[in-house]
Amino acid sequence: MHTSIRAIARLGCVLGAAAVLSACRGPQSTFDPAGTESVEVLRLFWWMLGGAVLIWLFVMGVSVYATKAHPKAHSERTGTRLIVWGGVAFPVVVLTALLVFGLQMMPGFRAPADGPRIAVSGERFWWRVHYEAPDTPGVAKALSGEGVPSANELWIPVGRRSEILLSSPDVIHSFWVPNIAGKVDTIPGRVTRLVLEPTRTGTFHGICAEFCGDAHAQMRFVVKVVSEAEFAARVEAERAPASLVDHPGRLAFEANGCGACHQVRGTASAGLVGPDLTHLGSRETLGAGILPVTADNIQRFIALTEHEKPGVQMPSFATLPQDQTRAMAEWLEALK
């Protein structure tokens, strides 16, 4: 019986350790840093963990000394010393050292950006993106939508400090790319600032880290870290109008009123309520990270929107003929 219990305990420890270690790497792990800020945050975490363990060991040592090693009655003077030095002075010294260690990181996090400026608006339940256009620079222009529009996917150059200007028209969201930097809230009526300085190329996943409604858990985005040349080419490609205009899907898209909410530059569709779809086919995901971009998934999302993403403001178009939704899906998937 005891052998079985010990075996189960050992198995539990192994599985627990495996679960912890499996979370230490990946495109959305704080233990796999890919940015200067995330490296510093991880370093702070390990120091704080070490400080916490040190305090715990010291306090437990005092407790064991007072109750097990010398269980006899102690004098009031001895008890006071144990409490003051073990329970107050030592933790205060360790915590103060950790506080100073953490605060000295702040100036580096707030250093000026030398890379592109990108406006990101958190909206229920997706991310509006505007790159600062080369010929229309400026914070106000980026925030007002005069830049290069995109959605749910962010491209930034490696080795540069990209300034992300965060805002929201509805509720508080929280922009977080765990591999690259810490989280910052998007607050209605205010513009908050986050600097992303990636140290290596790759694809990383971001999330909304502040509960914002029904589809909060499905409010994701992708961050692509590329070379400066690839970044410039991507922004220029995003700036271009739709690559395919003459298609039955465009006619169905406009005839069913989709252009009232979505913009497809180069066509009559100029809505600004929902995500810009001018280059939807070139993105990795659909619906703010919930599905890969394929014609089948686009058609399903159009017909069963509220089923795929409960709480989203876009209504389902299940009553439309399948040939129309299929044509729209094929057209949108071809917009690259």
Side-chain angles (χ1 to χ4, degrees), residues 13-330:
C13 291
V14 171
L15 293 177
V20 171
L21 292 175
S22 66
C24 291
R25 296 196 64 83
Q28 193 174 312
S29 172
T30 55
F31 291 96
D32 186 19
T36 55
E37 182 172 325
S38 59
V39 169
E40 292 298 308
V41 170
L42 182 60
R43 185 160 65 100
L44 177 61
F45 166 80
W46 288 121
W47 277 102
M48 291 184 69
L49 180 62
V53 170
L54 195 61
I55 292 173
W56 184 85
L57 289 174
F58 193 88
V59 173
M60 290 300 102
V62 171
S63 300
V64 170
Y65 170 80
T67 59
K68 298 294 183 182
H70 296 278
K72 63 180 181 178
H74 296 272
S75 67
E76 183 177 345
R77 183 178 181 184
T78 301
T80 301
R81 285 179 175 178
L82 289 174
I83 293 171
V84 171
W85 292 105
V88 178
F90 183 74
V92 167
V93 169
V94 174
L95 292 175
T96 300
L98 290 174
L99 177 62
V100 172
F101 180 78
L103 290 177
Q104 59 88 24
M105 296 180 178
M106 298 301 293
F109 294 163
R110 297 296 177 260
D114 62 356
R117 181 184 288 115
I118 307 169
V120 177
S121 176
E123 307 185 15
R124 291 187 296 183
F125 297 95
W126 60 287
W127 302 91
R128 189 188 300 272
V129 177
H130 273 96
Y131 297 95
E132 182 182 44
D135 55 355
T136 57
V139 176
K141 291 182 179 293
L143 290 171
S144 65
E146 294 184 39
V148 180
S150 185
N152 300 321
E153 193 168 285
L154 191 67
W155 287 57
I156 54 177
V158 66
R160 298 289 299 277
R161 291 177 60 81
S162 300
E163 184 178 22
I164 312 301
L165 305 170
L166 299 166
S167 60
S168 173
D170 42 52
V171 299
I172 295 176
H173 304 277
S174 186
F175 182 94
W176 189 25
V177 192
N179 296 82
I180 301 177
K183 64 189 75 168
V184 172
D185 286 349
T186 69
I187 303 171
R190 295 187 59 183
V191 176
T192 52
R193 175 179 175 269
L194 173 67
V195 173
L196 300 180
E197 186 179 5
T199 55
R200 57 184 168 91
T201 59
T203 299
F204 305 98
H205 298 168
I207 57 172
C208 174
E210 178 79 22
F211 180 74
C212 55
D214 294 353
H216 159 71
Q218 294 177 309
M219 189 173 169
R220 311 165 195 161
F221 59 95
V222 173
V223 176
K224 294 274 196 176
V225 179
V226 296
S227 67
E228 289 194 54
E230 288 178 286
F231 171 77
R234 176 68 181 193
V235 173
E236 193 59 32
E238 288 277 12
R239 193 177 187 183
S243 57
L244 180 61
V245 176
D246 296 325
H247 192 282
R250 180 184 69 83
L251 299 178
F253 187 87
E254 294 175 352
N256 288 290
C258 301
C261 293
H262 296 284
Q263 177 176 236
V264 180
R265 282 170 284 121
T267 73
S269 299
L272 299 177
V273 177
D276 183 287
L277 302 180
T278 306
H279 302 293
L280 175 64
S282 65
R283 299 172 195 159
E284 281 195 2
T285 63
L286 172 72
I290 65 172
L291 294 168
V293 173
T294 65
D296 289 341
N297 286 338
I298 295 173
Q299 183 179 12
R300 179 177 177 82
F301 193 81
I302 293 172
L304 302 171
T305 313
E306 295 172 349
H307 172 76
E308 293 295 324
K309 194 164 184 174
V312 70
Q313 295 183 11
M314 176 179 167
S316 297
F317 288 85
T319 58
L320 289 181
Q322 287 193 6
D323 59 336
Q324 290 193 32
T325 57
R326 187 64 190 180
M328 285 191 284
E330 291 177 349

